[in-house]
Amino acid sequence: PFNAPKSTKFFPLFLSSVAEVQDVVFVIQSQKNSYHTHRAEQRRTELLHQAQTLNQSSPDVVLLHKLSDYDGNWSILPALPRLASQYCQTSLWIVFLEEETNVNLHNLLQVLSKFNTRKEWFLGRPLHDDEPTIIHHYAFSEDPSSFSYPDFMAGWALSCPLAKRTAERVNYEPPKSDFTIDLQHEIALYIWEEGRGPALTVVNEFCSELQRLSSTGDCATTINTFLSACGNPVQKEDVFVAVKTCQRFHGDRVPLVKQTWEKDAASLEYYSDFTDPYIPTIHLGVPNTERGHCQKTFAILKRFASGVVTQAPWLLIVDDDTLISLPRLWRLLGCYDPNEAVSVGERYGYGLSRDGYSYITGGGGMVFSRVAVQNILAGGCGCHSSDAPDDMVLGMCLTTLGLPVTHSPLFHQARPQDYVKELLARQSPISFHKHWNINPVAVYQHWLKEPNQRRAHSLTKTREEL
């Protein structure tokens, strides 16, 4: 729709004085869950330790989930007014970090000192789309690569003049879309303001692991591999899998589940509007709806919570066109305490600029601890209609009950080509969704099958050919 400028490379005309640690407030994009809080606290400790080593005073380090009681602060814009008023009186920069972002404080201060702090700056490592994508509402469809947005994991920064102006604007001009889907793209769009605001300025010292620049020592930031150390994976018997389907898809989608990932599940049930003994499917007494499936999902939650079918501590709910790696899910769940009310998947937001709620988007797979399921049912949550969107209703429910919605970037609501290659290359993805214009088996084998599974598959194939 608009002609977006390519992100600007910055060549400083002068050097300001070297930035000091107290010029910077660090915001760690933390989450309210014991595992994630622990990771964020580790980041904080490392920053304080580096400041000490540089003989500088301790910087302000904010854990985003502790900034206020509002759970929507993860979407940044609702948090900006508080961040700007609390910290931009004394600081010059707000630097945002993810749990997995390593900082070289000395290098970062040198980088920031190149910029005139009286001006508006939006700094980061640029990403851009190679083709129009649904997760960005097909923005810049004529030239998707024309718009750059920051790789959050490599860190990004706002100068305080820009943070203050954006914070004021948030109050009278919220983002156009009610949905928060891919935050790094949406933040860049909001700041750019259709050309009235600054574009992203490229800072090559914000490094991603793919650059391998850390060997040169120039990097201000580098990134950890997501889930560096989480102990043992959960047992396959610890995860009960619920697949939502309907009679219409028994012939095409269900066979693909069986052909790809079903064999990894220790216990799995297909829930349909029709009992088919050959699959087999279970009819929960809920008629099929074209969309939403709220009533069906709540019937699944009740069946799981009853303990009749399974005592497993974890429930995974997926669509019949979700492709998933169960071995990778077992590894991920090794990070979480099943005695907590854990709800994990790809987090989206609805109406977050005005007291909205977060939810796990259903297509990528929704994972709940048994404790979370029990809390949801005991909390009196339910569907206002049978075809209400189940994932959003559950999100509203969790928000009302004060239970966290935990984001993992390893779950994906869309297909591999809908995401930036650079981001996928550093992941071991857990899921993708939709069979539209792809070969689902090929996608599963390329993106989700574990290397040892692939080896076993090729050995079997060789034996068959012999």
Side-chain angles (χ1 to χ4, degrees), residues 24-28 40 43-44 47-48 59-63 87:
V24 183
V25 55
F26 291 96
V27 178
I28 299 175
R43 276 284 150 265
R44 186 172 179 276
L47 283 166
L48 298 177
D60 283 315
V61 183
V62 179
L63 300 194
Y87 297 101

Side-chain angles (χ1 to χ4, degrees), residues 210-377:
L210 296 179
Q211 296 303 108
R212 306 279 179 239
L213 286 177
S214 43
S215 56
T216 67
D218 291 337
C219 288
T221 61
T222 52
I223 61 177
N224 285 338
T225 313
F226 187 71
L227 294 181
S228 25
C230 268
N232 296 326
V234 300
Q235 299 295 305
K236 65 189 316 188
E237 296 75 23
D238 289 340
V239 181
F240 178 76
V241 184
V243 183
K244 294 184 299 181
T245 187
C246 63
Q247 188 175 5
R248 192 167 116 216
F249 298 126
H250 287 188
D252 52 0
R253 292 184 181 178
V254 171
L256 285 168
V257 176
K258 289 183 174 293
Q259 199 181 334
T260 52
W261 59 267
E262 185 206 76
K263 59 190 171 301
D264 291 325
S267 49
L268 174 147
E269 286 186 340
Y270 291 93
Y271 299 109
S272 181
D273 55 340
F274 176 77
T275 306
D276 181 338
Y278 297 103
I279 291 176
T281 60
I282 290 163
H283 186 8
L284 293 165
V286 177
N288 189 50
T289 52
E290 278 300 302
R291 56 180 188 274
H293 314 298
C294 186
Q295 215 174 332
K296 182 189 268 186
T297 297
F298 270 84
I300 292 168
L301 295 176
K302 285 171 187 158
R303 184 171 170 85
F304 175 78
S306 72
V308 171
V309 189
T310 177
Q311 294 292 329
W314 296 102
L315 168 66
L316 164 67
I317 302 179
V318 289
D319 293 345
D320 52 11
D321 58 348
T322 302
L323 296 165
I324 195 155
S325 165
L326 291 176
R328 290 177 190 171
L329 177 62
W330 305 329
R331 285 208 295 276
L332 175 80
L333 292 179
C335 299
Y336 297 105
D337 180 353
N339 299 312
E340 288 180 26
V342 179
S343 306
V344 66
E346 185 175 21
R347 177 183 54 193
Y348 280 9
Y350 180 76
L352 293 180
S353 58
R354 43 161 214 290
D355 282 351
Y357 56 89
S358 309
Y359 63 98
I360 293 161
T361 176
M366 302 185 282
V367 184
F368 303 99
S369 63
R370 183 172 286 277
V371 176
V373 173
Q374 288 163 341
N375 282 343
I376 289 165
L377 296 174

Side-chain angles (χ1 to χ4, degrees), residues 75-115:
S75 64
I76 307 293
L77 294 178
L80 261 189
R82 187 177 287 244
L83 287 170
S85 67
Q86 245 174 279
Y87 297 101
C88 278
Q89 311 303 325
T90 51
S91 299
L92 302 173
W93 293 97
I94 303 179
V95 173
F96 293 87
L97 309 169
E98 291 204 342
E99 288 164 29
E100 305 300 323
T101 316
N102 303 306
V103 175
N104 179 318
L105 198 48
H106 172 265
N107 288 2
L108 178 66
L109 295 176
Q110 284 200 314
V111 166
L112 294 179
S113 68
K114 296 174 185 175
F115 296 88

Side-chain angles (χ1 to χ4, degrees), residues 400-444:
T400 305
L401 298 174
L403 300 174
V405 169
T406 301
H407 175 66
S408 167
L410 305 179
F411 295 81
H412 302 89
Q413 169 70 16
R415 307 161 305 158
Q417 60 262 52
D418 294 313
Y419 299 90
V420 177
K421 292 188 192 78
E422 190 179 335
L423 300 187
L424 290 184
R426 66 178 179 224
Q427 293 185 349
S428 293
I430 284 176
S431 68
F432 291 103
H433 177 232
K434 291 263 187 276
H435 293 171
W436 180 62
N437 278 3
I438 60 165
N439 174 339
V441 176
V443 166
Y444 173 77

